[in-house]
Amino acid sequence: MIRRALILSAVALALAISAKAADLSYDLTPQEVAPGTYVLEGTREYFTRENGGNIVNTAFIVTNEGVVVIDNGPSKRYGEELRAAIARVTDKPVLRVIVTHLHPDHFLGGQAFEDVPVGATAATRAGIAEEGTMVTENLYRLSGDWMRGTETVVPSETLEDGQVIKVGGHTLRLLELSGHTESDLVVMDETTGVLFASDLVFHDRAPTFPHADIAVWLESLDTLQALDFKVLVPGHGPVTRDAGPIEQTRAYLQWLNGALREAAAGGREITEVIRMPIPPEFADMDLVRDELTRSVLTLYPELARDSLPPASN
Amino acid sequence: MRLSSLASLALAVCLAVSPAGASDVTDPLDSVVWDYVHEQLLNGEPVVFDDRVQVFAPEKVEDGRMVPVSVRADGIPDVKQILVLGDLNPIPRAVMLEPIKARPFIALRMKVNEGTAIRAAVKTGDGVWHLGGTVVQAPGGGCAAPRLVADGGNWEDHLGEVRARAWRTVDGADRLRLMIHHPMDTGLVDNIPEFFLDRLTITNAAGEEVARIQAWSAMSTNPVLTLEIAPDGVTAPGTAYAVSGVDSDANEVSASIPAPSQTMPPPPLQEAMR
């Protein structure tokens, strides 16, 4: 009796879940930010089972010859929907994909682009090969059914710092910087003046630090700000026509860096540091308290260790 | 209808495994193993859930190998022990402080094997455990995963080394922070046997033991501890605290922490946070 009820419940549950899976859609809407240049802006949230990981900006450039895609999203489903969104804009073929760095919201749509070259720096390719499976598993846990069928695809070709890609009337200059991760690939479209800044730039959404080096990141922001761009596409948050997001990211990094060092010198433990007040200028950034906690857990242990001198007899 | 059948089945299962003689006290953290915690870890002794026992930990962590936890039990007189534990851990106890002349405060970093209630059990002189706690969400495997850090694989070169410093608090206590190099192996990973820092004693220059600590392998690799020695136990200016300890293989730990030369400002906490 109970067993039959259980089986029926399980069947009903399975039906409910599959019906829900069929309804999942990211509703990707490309916004044209410059001639032929489209950005798909994600929400300023963390991975959830509601957003399915659509928390990231991806982009594509429609050139005379075909389409260049910059980052392919957080899941197989996203990659497929991105490809469909491109096809709604143009009937030109996708020529290539550029993956900016090794974080999973930027490369896990790779299965939808296995028929074209997918480029990333050597360090990013190695990082994805090494950590891809682990981060993919983590996203299954965070995003749930949106991830169905998603597997890590290691980018198929290596892109170099300073490389210039001339394609369909566009000149794309690649800069390999670092600081957000060991290798952050920035794409400067010299034809349109659009700077695809990767996750070196966040806008109205707190930066993340799982592979970060703040001092190096700050240098990279100076490099970015010196570039001659008209449109700035951050890795997360709205597109702008000024350097505001670079300045916001820089100010946050400088505050965080100083606050963590001060806390370590003052004998604070992690449980206190994650509760420290956040300056008003950053209080409206989405996820700022959550990301502060994550960044303290990542960055503080080493600072705390260095604040303690050797004491052994 | 189906759901209610399921619910009654679940209820029946829960009732069936509920041990006899379980505590009558309702656990505010609603932990499934509260009865076990009470009977086995607190010896079935009298307990009271007490808001003065403040336990702070992040609501969620991405790596169960390092969960920062701090406990403060100000206002509870005659504290004899503070035990910090994770209900669902295979090694539930992480640390036990005897705050002989220390404040009823400890901060540490511990492993959790899954999302769990983290508790502090504060035992007073009358034999009652005063309990506080919080719940941490975590992915699985913090006790059964390889070490978070292992000194580049050369932990043997640094085994038992201590880094430490004291700060004077604005109200006259000495905050001591210690990091002890130790792998803190749980015995649950790759056939590596359990191997952990076992005990530490802190003595002031007057020869008074001011705090004793018992540790378990559920503390994170290279344990970091924060304590506060009460004003009547602080070591004299120009002297040092002596730290002595031993690990589970009888390796000795010996260090000294000079009296503080600097006063730390009061903690700039966001008061709205739990």
Side-chain angles (χ1 to χ4, degrees), chain A residues 134 270 297 301, chain B residues 61-68 89 108-114 136-150 183-184 186 189 217-224:
Chain A
M134 188 184 73
I270 296 174
L297 288 169
Chain B
V61 297
E62 293 178 341
D63 190 332
R65 292 174 294 185
M66 195 191 73
V67 181
N89 269 358
L108 67 149
R109 303 169 191 174
M110 63 182 284
K111 302 163 192 158
V112 299
N113 207 42
E114 59 187 297
V136 173
Q137 299 171 36
C143 296
R147 295 175 203 123
L148 180 58
V149 283
M184 302 302 279
T186 58
V189 186
S217 63
M219 283 188 72
S220 299
T221 297
N222 297 341
V224 176

Side-chain angles (χ1 to χ4, degrees), chain A residues 2 6 9 46 141 265-272 274-277 289 294 297 304-305 308-309 311-313, chain B residues 2 6 9 56 62 66 68 70 109 161-164 167 175 177 254-256 264-270 273:
Chain A
I2 286 172
L6 261 181
S9 311
Y46 194 57
R141 191 171 59 79
R268 301 293 167 207
E269 177 50 5
I270 296 174
T271 45
E272 296 165 321
I274 63 181
R275 285 182 285 176
M276 67 184 174
R289 178 64 66 182
R294 292 178 76 219
L297 288 169
R305 174 190 182 280
L308 303 175
S312 293
N313 290 328
Chain B
R2 283 168 201 150
L6 259 184
L9 177 69
F56 185 86
E62 293 178 341
M66 195 191 73
S70 61
R109 303 169 191 174
E161 284 181 17
V162 177
R163 303 175 72 100
W167 284 262
R175 172 174 282 209
R177 282 172 52 71
S254 172
S256 50
M264 64 191 298
L269 300 187
Q270 190 87 350
M273 300 188 66

Side-chain angles (χ1 to χ4, degrees), chain A residues 164-219:
Chain A
V164 173
I165 299 173
K166 287 185 184 289
V167 54
H170 286 250
T171 300
L172 308 179
R173 188 153 63 89
L174 307 184
L175 287 82
E176 183 182 10
L177 302 174
S178 59
H180 174 66
T181 68
E182 186 191 337
S183 174
D184 301 294
L185 189 64
V186 166
V187 181
M188 180 74 225
D189 185 338
E190 295 186 335
T191 308
T192 57
V194 179
L195 172 59
F196 301 91
S198 79
D199 278 8
L200 287 169
V201 178
F202 284 70
H203 185 198
D204 290 345
R205 193 272 190 220
T208 67
F209 297 83
H211 296 88
D213 180 325
I214 292 182
V216 176
W217 191 339
L218 286 167
E219 287 174 21

Side-chain angles (χ1 to χ4, degrees), chain B residues 71-76 79 82 97 99 102-106 122 228:
Chain B
V71 178
R72 216 172 247 294
D74 292 335
I76 299 182
V79 171
I82 300 177
L97 167 70
R103 292 225 166 113
F105 163 78
I106 187 166
V122 176
E228 286 177 5

